[in-house]
Amino acid sequence: MPPRNPAVVAGKAIAVGVILLWSLFPIGFMLMSSLKPGQEIFAVPPRLVFEPTLQHYGALWEKWAVFFRGLGNSFIVTLGATLLTVIASTMAGFVYSRERGRALEASALFLIVVRLLPPIVLTLPLFTIANMLAINDTHLVLILLYATFFVSLGTLLMRTFIDYIPRELDEAAMVDGASRLTILWRVIRPLSKQGMLALAVFVIVYAWNEFLFAFVFTSTRAKTAPLVISEMLGSFDGVDWGVLFAASSVQLLPILIFVIFMQKHLVAGLTGGAIKG
Amino acid sequence: MPAAVRGAGARLSRLGATLPFLAPAQLLVLTVIVLPALHIIWLSLSTSTFGKAPVFVGLANYIHVFGDTYFWRALANTIIIVLVVVHVELLLGLGMALLFASGLPARRLLLAAVLAPYAVSEVSAAVIWRFLFDPDAGPVTMALHALGLPGFEWSVDPAHGLAIVALLSIWLHLPFTFLIIYAARLAVPEELYEAARIDGASKLQSFRRVTLPLLMPAILLAALFRYIFVFRLFSEVWLMTQGGPARSTDVVAVYLYLEAFRFNAFGTAAATGWIMVMISMILGAGYLWGLRREMRAHAA
């Protein structure tokens, strides 16, 4: 081991401090401001010590029922999109992991190529089509969109995870006369839980926070929480920052706690298991 | 030849057995992405507004877009943001990966802190940014003034507007870029550094000769990913500046959105869409080429 150079240690400490400030200050500032009474939000310099109050949360509850309906919509859409993505990706990933062939290789590449299409480009025809099918402003349209835009990555991810499951297990089951569906359910599903969890974390974070599709495809009935917050931000009679910070905090906290809790799976999914988070 | 026929038959039945497993994923992609994308080609060759039957006009929409100074402004802004955001992210991500790999206490906790912005929605981030950088009363503006520095006049100055959008985008996506590079750094065997040390290499030399070449594939992958995704940037701009003032901070995705949903010009919006697709494909070609090679290796 090289001797510990105090200058190096100090340099590292400063770097870590800057990184922490950069990552956490905006989040901490928002959470803290949501608890500050009345005009103290605007105090210069911002006060670190204050008497916390839930008045902004109370105002949010009273004046913005639509926000809480938005949270409900976000929850439904996130749940639906996650289930659909995980099921479709596991099924396809299973085949791509176990079967070989030029047609299969081409179809896997196809799944990736189409992902190069920017989502905003597809809003044009999809808006018209969704109108014709009368599914605009429904949970279903967002569930289908979110699942579609994650199914390519999901399939690749599940293939990678299923590749780690020994083929001998499938073959033994096949000898016993099990069908592919039985093998997927009895052998692959229990052993690929890690992959499914990692994929679920990605989809949940994406669907809970997504803005563009919600903005274009929902207006009243299926409006998600981020969309409601964006409307509060753009309100004409002045922005009520206290209430806005409260709403943003309510939208952020569950997903932030979830991400911290699921950090291990998130990191494993992003890095193919190279880092133990 | 019966053997060949039997082979083809087996392959066909195998295809029949695997098709139902691929169907959900492929059908989603086909109906939500591929067919609408083809529809856009037709839209881009016709004039159409919402609720009216399209009329074929050839390449007129493309000519209109290429003759529109707003489009060129949006494209220039997009290119600037892509170049700044991606390269700053790569530099910071690389620096952080090296710092983390050099051994830090409470590494797990620090990792959680660094990943936190990943959980923040674009909308919440814009809320925080709009307040912190408010040109009149924002705490960051005040702090800059207190230090005798000018604040960001992002609601009037387009350069500042783009800078604020870039900063927001970097903040949101740095965790992703960092993790990809960090994973690659951890995959470098420690023995290589031992060997370099024994050979008398300095820290800088072992970084240039060992670390950097081995991290290059991951850095390039992260760069390509981010090029493609920053190129379609919409929410950050829309939520911060709405392309204003006077459309000076438009990016291509905002230009497309305004054409389609504000000016009801689906034809020019569709043409813009196909121009975006083409540029994305060019950006993605390198990525796909690498992926194809990897798939060949996987299939072999």
Side-chain angles (χ1 to χ4, degrees):
Chain A
M1 281 296 275
R4 290 210 157 196
N5 183 338
V8 171
V9 173
K12 268 195 195 179
I14 292 171
V16 169
V18 171
I19 290 171
L20 285 180
L21 193 69
W22 160 265
S23 301
L24 297 181
F25 172 72
I27 297 172
F29 185 87
M30 176 183 82
L31 295 175
M32 231 160 69
S33 297
S34 76
L35 296 169
K36 283 183 180 173
Q39 295 302 307
E40 243 184 81
I41 288 176
F42 303 101
V44 179
R47 281 191 206 120
L48 281 174
V49 184
F50 57 92
E51 239 175 89
T53 161
L54 290 176
Q55 69 177 80
H56 299 305
Y57 291 88
L60 178 68
W61 180 258
E62 269 165 30
K63 285 188 231 154
W64 290 92
V66 62
F67 171 72
F68 293 93
R69 276 203 299 280
L71 280 180
N73 289 332
S74 284
F75 183 78
I76 295 169
V77 168
T78 302
L79 191 71
T82 307
L83 283 176
L84 184 54
T85 310
V86 171
I87 292 171
S89 303
T90 309
M91 288 169 73
F94 170 52
V95 169
Y96 288 126
S97 167
R98 293 315 197 229
E99 309 285 337
R100 295 285 171 268
R102 200 160 292 173
L104 272 179
E105 194 200 330
S107 80
L109 194 65
F110 166 77
L111 271 185
I112 304 303
V113 172
V114 294
R115 215 31 206 86
L116 287 174
L117 268 111
I120 186 133
V121 176
L122 294 164
T123 57
L124 295 171
L126 286 173
F127 186 76
T128 317
I129 294 167
N131 250 330
M132 278 189 328
L133 297 174
I135 56 168
N136 250 338
D137 201 13
T138 62
H139 299 132
L140 180 67
V141 72
L142 288 186
I143 290 173
L144 290 175
L145 284 167
Y146 294 167
T148 304
F149 276 88
F150 243 97
V151 90
S152 308
L153 197 80
T155 301
L156 274 191
L157 193 95
M158 289 314 297
R159 190 191 74 179
T160 313
F161 274 90
I162 294 172
D163 276 344
Y164 285 113
I165 303 172
R167 283 159 166 276
E168 288 75 27
L169 294 178
D170 310 26
E171 278 153 19
M174 218 178 273
V175 170
D176 290 343
S179 70
R180 273 198 178 77
L181 193 61
T182 315
I183 294 173
L184 177 62
W185 186 254
R186 290 275 155 90
V187 181
I188 302 296
R189 184 187 54 94
L191 292 174
S192 60
K193 277 209 180 110
Q194 291 293 322
M196 291 189 199
L197 266 175
L199 175 57
V201 175
F202 285 124
V203 186
I204 288 170
V205 174
Y206 167 70
W208 183 257
N209 286 338
E210 204 275 344
F211 175 71
L212 171 61
F213 284 139
F215 178 55
V216 173
F217 289 96
T218 67
S219 46
T220 49
R221 282 177 295 159
K223 193 154 63 175
T224 59
L227 190 57
V228 180
I229 296 177
S230 81
E231 288 174 3
M232 296 165 82
L233 186 62
S235 107
F236 279 111
D237 31 288
V239 176
D240 187 340
W241 285 104
V243 173
L244 194 50
F245 283 133
S248 296
S249 302
V250 172
Q251 195 269 343
L252 170 66
L253 272 181
I255 200 74
L256 183 64
I257 293 167
F258 177 75
V259 162
I260 292 171
F261 205 62
M262 301 297 273
Q263 185 187 339
K264 195 176 76 180
H265 301 288
L266 177 80
V267 173
L270 260 181
T271 61
I275 307 176
K276 302 212 173 16
Chain B
M1 281 173 287
V5 172
R6 216 181 313 130
R11 226 178 300 148
L12 212 63
S13 82
R14 206 162 191 168
L15 188 71
T18 54
L19 221 48
F21 290 88
L22 299 178
Q26 294 282 358
L27 274 180
L28 276 176
V29 165
L30 197 69
T31 51
V32 179
I33 300 184
V34 179
L35 296 179
L38 296 177
H39 185 58
I40 300 171
I41 302 182
W42 162 240
L43 273 179
S44 77
L45 299 174
S46 50
T47 56
S48 135
T49 61
F50 190 60
K52 272 199 192 149
V55 180
F56 183 79
V57 292
L59 292 175
N61 288 321
Y62 289 90
I63 293 166
H64 174 86
V65 170
F66 283 128
D68 188 351
T69 48
Y70 284 126
F71 171 76
W72 290 107
R73 172 82 76 98
L75 187 64
N77 285 343
T78 309
I79 292 171
I80 293 170
I81 291 189
V82 167
L83 290 177
V84 170
V85 167
V86 176
H87 294 119
V88 171
E89 264 180 39
L90 289 175
L91 269 180
L92 292 177
L94 177 63
M96 281 161 61
L98 296 180
L99 181 68
F100 268 72
S102 74
L104 289 179
R107 195 187 54 91
R108 229 185 126 128
L109 218 59
L110 285 177
L111 206 56
V114 168
L115 292 184
Y118 173 75
V120 180
S121 64
E122 291 146 338
V123 175
S124 295
V127 168
I128 305 171
W129 246 243
R130 291 251 297 245
F131 186 85
L132 285 179
F133 290 92
D134 186 281
D136 296 323
V140 173
T141 312
M142 294 306 204
L144 289 172
H145 285 321
L147 293 171
L149 296 167
F152 284 101
E153 297 291 339
W154 54 271
S155 53
V156 283
D157 185 331
H160 289 193
L162 291 180
I164 215 97
V165 165
L167 201 64
L168 179 61
S169 192
I170 293 168
W171 187 77
L172 280 169
H173 300 286
L174 186 58
F176 171 84
T177 311
F178 155 71
L179 265 187
I180 292 198
I181 300 175
Y182 182 42
R185 170 60 189 82
L186 287 191
V188 177
E190 277 311 307
E191 294 83 48
L192 287 179
Y193 292 103
E194 292 285 337
R197 205 152 42 226
I198 292 165
D199 287 347
S202 70
K203 278 241 160 89
L204 189 67
Q205 277 170 326
S206 79
F207 171 72
R208 280 192 45 201
R209 306 278 162 145
V210 181
T211 311
L212 210 50
L214 287 170
L215 292 192
M216 249 332 155
I219 293 174
L220 286 178
L221 181 77
L224 269 166
F225 251 109
R226 296 295 295 140
Y227 276 134
I228 292 167
F229 278 81
V230 184
F231 179 69
R232 52 177 77 157
L233 176 90
F234 174 82
S235 308
E236 288 97 321
V237 179
W238 188 256
L239 293 164
M240 286 305 292
T241 68
Q242 295 219 351
R247 303 197 63 178
S248 58
T249 56
D250 270 8
V251 288
V252 180
V254 170
Y255 176 85
L256 187 157
Y257 177 85
L258 290 174
E259 287 292 317
F261 297 103
R262 186 155 298 170
F263 308 128
N264 273 326
F266 271 35
T268 48
T272 311
W274 261 97
I275 295 167
M276 273 184 96
V277 171
M278 288 306 155
I279 299 176
S280 296
M281 291 285 172
I282 294 167
L283 287 176
Y287 169 59
L288 288 171
W289 187 72
L291 197 76
R292 215 179 139 71
R293 270 203 328 191
E294 198 190 303
M295 278 192 175
R296 283 267 159 74
H298 183 83

